[in-house]
Amino acid sequence: MVQISDRQSAVLSRISDIVDRIMQSRPVYQEELNKNEVMEKFAMLLNNIFTEQLMELDDENLTKRVKGVMSVELMTHLLDGLTPENVETFNTAVEGR
């Protein structure tokens, strides 16, 4: 586990509550993501950013950021089950080719 400070712990507690709300409101997150893994990812991210800036964010802005990270994680998990041909089709559609 990543070592965290008291301030980081406070931010992680807020993020944990937000992750819970997002997972409850969007079942696909519950189905595809493991909360412990998501929280570990946030703990690692906190070592690379300024905790104080996150502490100053209101819940709405912090929720937007948390949801963005969770969405990227979700896409990673969703693409894991694709065949190489499916991945090529997906990439083509995303790139607009």
Side-chain angles (χ1 to χ4, degrees):
M1 177 91 179
V2 175
Q3 293 287 359
I4 58 173
S5 71
D6 290 340
R7 298 294 275 172
Q8 288 171 322
S9 181
V11 171
L12 283 174
S13 178
R14 287 181 63 202
I15 290 172
S16 179
D17 292 342
I18 292 168
V19 168
D20 286 337
R21 286 195 307 264
I22 291 170
M23 286 185 151
Q24 288 174 1
S25 69
R26 302 285 309 267
V28 68
Y29 288 107
Q30 275 184 341
E31 295 165 7
E32 297 294 332
L33 299 179
N34 176 297
K35 182 183 177 187
N36 292 332
E37 291 174 4
V38 170
M39 293 308 300
E40 182 70 22
K41 178 74 133 189
F42 280 109
M44 287 187 300
L45 288 171
L46 282 178
N47 283 331
N48 298 322
I49 59 175
F50 299 109
T51 304
E52 293 302 319
Q53 289 176 330
L54 290 180
M55 289 292 291
E56 294 173 4
L57 291 176
D58 61 30
D59 281 348
E60 182 179 341
N61 284 319
L62 185 57
T63 297
K64 287 178 186 176
R65 292 170 192 248
V66 168
K67 192 171 185 179
V69 171
M70 290 177 68
S71 295
V72 169
E73 285 296 304
L74 179 63
M75 283 301 296
T76 301
H77 285 274
L78 292 175
L79 295 176
D80 284 345
L82 297 180
T83 66
E85 294 81 19
N86 294 138
V87 171
E88 180 61 32
T89 301
F90 174 81
N91 288 339
T92 300
V94 169
E95 293 170 0
R97 289 190 266 164

